Amino acid sequence: MTVVPTTNGTAASTLIPSHPNPSLQVTADHKLKLVEAPVHEPGPGEVLLHIKTTGICGSDIHFWKTGRIGSLVVEGDCILGHEAAGLVLKLGEGVDNLQVGDRVAIEPGMPCENCWLCREGRYNLCEDVAFSGVYPHHGTLQRYKTHKAKWLYKLPDTVSWAEAALLEPLSVVLHGVKTCGLSLGRPALVCGAGPIGLIALAAARASGAHPIVVTDLEPKRLAFAKEFVPSCTPYQVRRDLDAEGNACEIRRLFGAESFEYHAPPSVLECTGVESSVVTAAHAVRRGGVVCVIGVGKSVMNNLPFMHISLAEIDLRFINRYRDTWPAGIQCLAGGVLDLKRLVTHTLPLERALEAMEICSDTANGSIKIQIVDEVDAAI
């Protein structure tokens, strides 16, 4: 890789790599394109990475299909991707915690570090965060990317690239589990058997919660959930029942129709779908906690306000995560969680468009699709 000289003899901010830099970009008019992207020289405190693996997230599909998630709007071309791990290729000035050749997991959000939320340690709420794959901040679905070294974490040899890219969704779950307050020997309900729901299911089991019920509309995903965590009880959401009716059926699985105490005190709602949130509110024990992890509509009009109020249900929400990567790495390296089976499809970077198409159609049976780059892109 060679530096591009400028007319005054100083180094430019872009590099000419020994390989091209294909990138998957979403456009403001809801299109995807695989195009060559520039490769940037790492600035002070940054490193240049070769992105080895990136998982496709539901938010990537949202940005493609709808162009927004809440107030986050795609206003121009943006490289997608944030569930990633890579190899350090080059160090910027002042980087002393990493070396060339280090394998690292990537925390995709880089907060401002100056606002009152950052100073309080709640950096996940920073309004000036540069988050990979959220316009205008380019993401990890490219071969080369610069990133602040502070938000990179060395990987032990026992953690594979595939597992390392699962640390981002695992971090979402770790923040949700902490917010929800699962307890040893206490019942728990997990709504949704997608990637986040399945990781939440495994984390709930690892936490000692029991019994655990997991819900979904799709029987194939529930079958996968039962194989993934054999001790769980699957519940297929019935379309002929309303949210409260489904909640009654779920409560029966816990034995709560005869004794309220048997209802789950903790619910991890991993879909963000309004009807599922309402079901969770009716299924949880009086005085219990519902933690909404899933991404939903900007406005929900049908939440059972008085039921939540009279039952003193604690309805909580999370925004991404904070200080979770070290714990997540320990979970994987120490065998607390084994998430490898969640990766059902692996495609090369050059087939990223195809990967997005597969991920967008639940009939394809994918759980987690990862895009890998096995090119030797070392400098």
Side-chain angles (χ1 to χ4, degrees):
M1 187 175 290
T2 57
V3 178
V4 180
T6 62
T7 53
N8 61 7
T10 60
S13 61
T14 57
L15 305 172
I16 298 177
S18 53
H19 293 278
N21 187 31
S23 70
L24 182 69
Q25 301 186 13
V26 66
T27 67
D29 57 350
H30 305 176
K31 292 182 174 60
L32 292 175
K33 58 183 180 180
L34 191 65
V35 296
E36 181 83 4
V39 181
H40 298 286
E41 179 83 21
E46 295 181 339
V47 303
L48 178 66
L49 295 169
H50 173 201
I51 304 298
K52 299 293 288 185
T53 304
T54 294
I56 297 178
C57 176
S59 64
D60 298 317
I61 304 299
H62 272 287
F63 282 133
W64 168 28
K65 296 291 187 178
T66 69
R68 68 185 307 147
I69 296 176
S71 61
L72 306 176
V73 181
V74 179
E75 297 179 359
D77 294 357
C78 184
I79 300 173
L80 292 171
H82 59 274
E83 300 180 4
L87 190 71
V88 176
L89 295 181
K90 189 172 184 179
L91 307 179
E93 181 184 351
V95 175
D96 56 10
N97 63 319
L98 295 171
Q99 296 179 349
V100 172
D102 280 345
R103 301 169 66 248
V104 295
I106 303 168
E107 182 166 358
M110 295 180 288
C112 76
E113 303 184 56
N114 295 314
C115 69
W116 64 273
L117 288 162
C118 286
R119 293 197 301 270
E120 281 189 352
R122 304 171 72 191
Y123 66 82
N124 60 310
L125 302 181
C126 174
E127 294 186 281
D128 196 25
V129 62
F131 197 91
S132 297
V134 176
Y135 180 86
H137 308 290
H138 291 309
T140 58
L141 279 171
Q142 56 181 319
R143 179 164 289 141
Y144 302 103
K145 185 185 187 305
T146 56
H147 202 78
K148 288 186 179 179
K150 181 176 182 177
W151 304 103
L152 301 173
Y153 302 86
K154 290 184 185 180
L155 294 167
D157 293 338
T158 54
V159 175
S160 68
W161 289 122
E163 291 174 293
L166 289 169
L167 283 164
E168 197 277 343
L170 174 56
S171 286
V172 173
V173 170
L174 289 176
H175 191 38
V177 165
K178 184 177 181 180
T179 302
C180 194
L182 297 180
S183 299
L184 188 70
R186 301 287 189 181
L189 171 63
V190 177
C191 298
I196 294 293
L198 290 167
I199 296 174
L201 178 63
R205 180 58 182 165
S207 77
H210 187 80
I212 306 171
V213 173
V214 58
T215 72
D216 206 280
L217 282 165
E218 174 53 56
K220 290 182 180 178
R221 287 202 162 181
L222 289 173
F224 186 97
K226 184 65 176 175
E227 293 178 5
F228 190 52
V229 179
S231 62
C232 78
T233 300
Y235 173 76
Q236 184 175 352
V237 176
R238 290 174 53 178
R239 296 181 186 272
D240 61 323
L241 295 177
D242 62 11
E244 191 169 358
N246 275 298
C248 288
E249 294 299 310
I250 292 166
R251 279 175 153 247
R252 287 193 180 97
L253 296 177
F254 288 102
E257 75 279 7
S258 58
F259 188 25
E260 166 74 16
Y261 186 74
H262 288 158
S266 303
V267 180
L268 292 161
E269 205 301 305
C270 301
T271 72
V273 175
E274 183 173 324
S275 61
S276 183
V277 176
V278 175
T279 296
H282 284 292
V284 72
R285 179 189 300 178
R286 291 171 69 86
V289 177
V290 175
C291 181
V292 181
I293 297 175
V295 174
K297 297 187 301 183
S298 296
V299 177
M300 293 188 182
N301 296 312
N302 297 306
L303 291 181
F305 176 79
M306 283 311 302
H307 169 74
I308 293 171
S309 175
L310 292 173
E312 287 194 3
I313 293 166
D314 194 349
L315 184 59
R316 300 180 182 178
F317 302 86
I318 67 166
N319 180 31
R320 296 170 180 153
Y321 30 67
R322 60 176 180 267
D323 192 28
T324 51
W325 258 257
I329 290 171
Q330 293 298 339
C331 283
L332 298 182
V336 177
L337 294 172
D338 184 354
L339 305 179
K340 293 187 289 292
R341 289 182 58 197
L342 297 180
V343 181
T344 54
H345 296 69
T346 301
L347 285 84
L349 179 58
E350 291 77 10
R351 294 172 62 189
L353 288 169
E354 179 184 349
M356 291 287 285
E357 292 284 356
I358 295 171
C359 189
S360 67
D361 186 353
T362 56
N364 290 317
S366 67
I367 300 295
K368 176 57 66 177
I369 298 177
Q370 290 186 340
I371 296 172
V372 302
D373 189 37
E374 297 180 349
V375 169
D376 182 6
I379 295 175

